[in-house]
Structure formats: C-alpha cells, structure tokens
Amino acid sequence: MAVPKRKMSRSNTRHRRSAWKAVAPSLVSCANPACDAKHLPHRACGECGQYGARNDRRQVL
Amino acid sequence: MPTPKKGARLGAGPAHQRLMVAGLATQLFEHGRITTTEAKARVLRPVAEKLITKAKKAELGTVASLHQRREVLKTIRDKEVVHALFTEIAPRYAERPGGYTRITKIGPRKGDNAPMAVIELVTEDYAPTQRATRPATAAAATPAPADEPVTDETVTDETATDETEEAPAADEAAVEAEEAAVEAEEAAAEAEAAAAKANEAAAKAEEAAADAEEAAAESSSDDTKA
C-alpha cells in the first residue's frame, strides 16, 4: 500500500488550506413589499414563504 | 447499475427507485403538495403527470376506464388515493393540456445542505396564455436597418463620396443638392432645406445637415465631372 514518505509540514498544510475560500452568495430582496428580506434568487423567500414576480406572487411554504 | 436515460438514479437500484417514486406520487396525490429534494421532485414530475393523464383519459371516456385504473394501480397501490385521483383530481384538469404539477425551489436543507423543493398540484384554473405578437418584433427589427444606412451616409459624406456603395441615397441627395446649388450656391438656408428633404428620405434628422452642405459642394464638383 502506498504511504506518505514524510510528514506534511505545518506550512504546507496551512498553504493548502489557505486556498479554501468561502464566497458570499448573491442575494435578491423579496418581491413581497411587506417582507423585503434577502433570499437566494429563484428560490422561495425563507421569511414570508412567497415566490414569484412582484405582481404574480404565491404562497409556497 | 443501469442509469435512467433522463433524471437521477436517486442512489438506489431500479426497483428501489420505482418504489420511492411510487411513494412520492401517492403522497403527492393524497396531500396535493409535498416537500422533497429537488432531484426527487424532478424525477417524480413526469411520473405523476402521466398518471394524471391516464386518469383524465378514463374521465373523458375516450378509453376503457377500468384499464386505466389498473394501469395507475401498478404505480399507486392505495385504492383510496387512486379513487381520489380519478374522481377529484382528473376532472379539475379537463381543460389543461399538461403541466399539472409545479416545482418551486426553496433552498438548501439544514443538516446535509440538499437543495429542497416543493412539488404541488396546480390548483389555479387553466387560462391560455397569449403568445407574443410578431408585429412588435417586426417593428423593432425595421428601425435597426434604417439607422445603419444613415450612419454610412454621413461617413460617405465625410469621405467625399468617393465610395459609390450608397448610390441611391447619395444620388437623391446629389440631385436635390444640385438644384439648390444651381439656384444659389451661397444660399445656405435652401441648402439646408434640401438636405433636410434628403435626410427625411433617409429617415434621419438634422444631424447630417452640416455634412450634407459639404456633400452639396462636393457633389457639384462631381456633377461637373459626370
């Protein structure tokens, strides 16, 4: 079985992990004027549970 | 493991997947709306719509009702649900040509971050949507070609009309400019009026008037050559 020849240095470990970057998702504001919360685009709003265009919303959740 | 031509295998064998989808379809027709993962909803949708189509066929009386009911019972084992599908759900969709279900994404699930969705039976009355009218697109298409020759005309006016590509428009401008030039070469107002007429033919406003004056002087020299 193949095994590592050397212990991986703390520096190499940290260099590798420094490349793991979190990216903030782009959000849209809810079409419901009474709610106006931020949620993921093309998803139902988590606050009020509505989905759809501003004049054609429906309650999903 | 054989994979479906379309859609996800859902991490199970074919028989297991059939059972899972059958259970989802049963719950969908029982409750009208279910929350599940997006992949399962996408696999469920065509299955559920085909079942509704079978129920519709039996309801409309085009084919034998009992046969359709037995076909649906191959998927949905619950006879109460099948009865509700044939007697309550199918008549609602008599007018609707497909599209009986709706999937709405609701974001990732806590725990495993799986993308979740709500699949539901459409309850609204069917209203045929009007297709976009073609005259609007045609009207939008015509101004674009009309603008380009005008810009080319101004370019050719600036480049001393050596390029004869814009022959018709340039000739009309040249004829009227010649008449204006014969009457009074120094009368700038009449030249502008003639240029305005030429520009109206080319569907362009007074922006090219100054250029047309230059064209008039140059076209007179060209006409002496011709």
Side-chain angles (χ1 to χ4, degrees), chain A residues 6-13 16:
Chain A
R6 292 192 177 280
K7 174 181 181 177
M8 195 164 197
S9 70
R10 194 156 50 173
S11 167
N12 271 349
T13 301
R16 188 181 71 248

Coordinates of all heavy atoms in Angstrom, one line a residue, chain A residues 6-13 16:
Chain A
R6 N 7.0 11.3 4.0 CA 7.4 12.3 5.0 C 6.1 12.9 5.6 O 5.0 12.9 5.0 CB 8.2 13.4 4.4 CG 9.5 13.0 3.9 CD 10.4 14.2 3.6 NE 11.7 13.8 3.2 CZ 12.6 13.5 4.1 NH1 12.4 13.5 5.4 NH2 13.8 13.1 3.6
K7 N 6.3 13.4 6.8 CA 5.2 14.1 7.4 C 5.0 15.4 6.7 O 6.0 16.1 6.3 CB 5.6 14.4 8.9 CG 4.6 15.3 9.6 CD 5.0 15.6 11.0 CE 4.0 16.5 11.7 NZ 4.4 16.7 13.1
M8 N 3.7 15.8 6.5 CA 3.5 17.0 5.8 C 3.7 18.2 6.8 O 3.2 18.1 7.9 CB 2.0 17.1 5.3 CG 1.8 18.2 4.3 SD 0.2 17.9 3.4 CE 0.5 19.0 2.1
S9 N 4.5 19.2 6.3 CA 4.8 20.3 7.2 C 3.6 21.1 7.5 O 2.6 21.2 6.8 CB 5.9 21.1 6.6 OG 5.4 21.9 5.5
R10 N 3.7 21.8 8.7 CA 2.6 22.7 9.0 C 2.4 23.8 8.0 O 1.3 24.2 7.7 CB 2.9 23.3 10.4 CG 1.8 24.0 11.1 CD 1.9 24.0 12.5 NE 3.2 24.5 13.0 CZ 3.6 24.8 14.2 NH1 2.7 24.6 15.2 NH2 4.7 25.2 14.6
S11 N 3.5 24.2 7.4 CA 3.5 25.3 6.4 C 2.7 24.8 5.2 O 1.8 25.5 4.7 CB 4.9 25.7 6.0 OG 4.9 26.4 4.9
N12 N 3.0 23.6 4.7 CA 2.3 23.1 3.5 C 0.8 22.9 3.8 O 0.0 23.2 3.0 CB 3.0 21.8 3.1 CG 4.1 22.0 2.1 OD1 4.3 23.1 1.7 ND2 4.9 20.9 1.9
T13 N 0.5 22.4 5.0 CA -0.9 22.2 5.3 C -1.6 23.5 5.3 O -2.7 23.7 4.8 CB -0.9 21.6 6.7 OG1 -0.3 20.4 6.7 CG2 -2.4 21.4 7.1
R16 N -2.1 24.9 1.8 CA -3.2 24.3 1.1 C -4.5 24.8 1.6 O -5.4 25.1 0.8 CB -3.1 22.8 1.3 CG -4.0 22.0 0.5 CD -3.9 20.5 0.7 NE -4.4 20.1 2.0 CZ -3.7 19.6 3.0 NH1 -2.4 19.5 2.9 NH2 -4.3 19.3 4.1

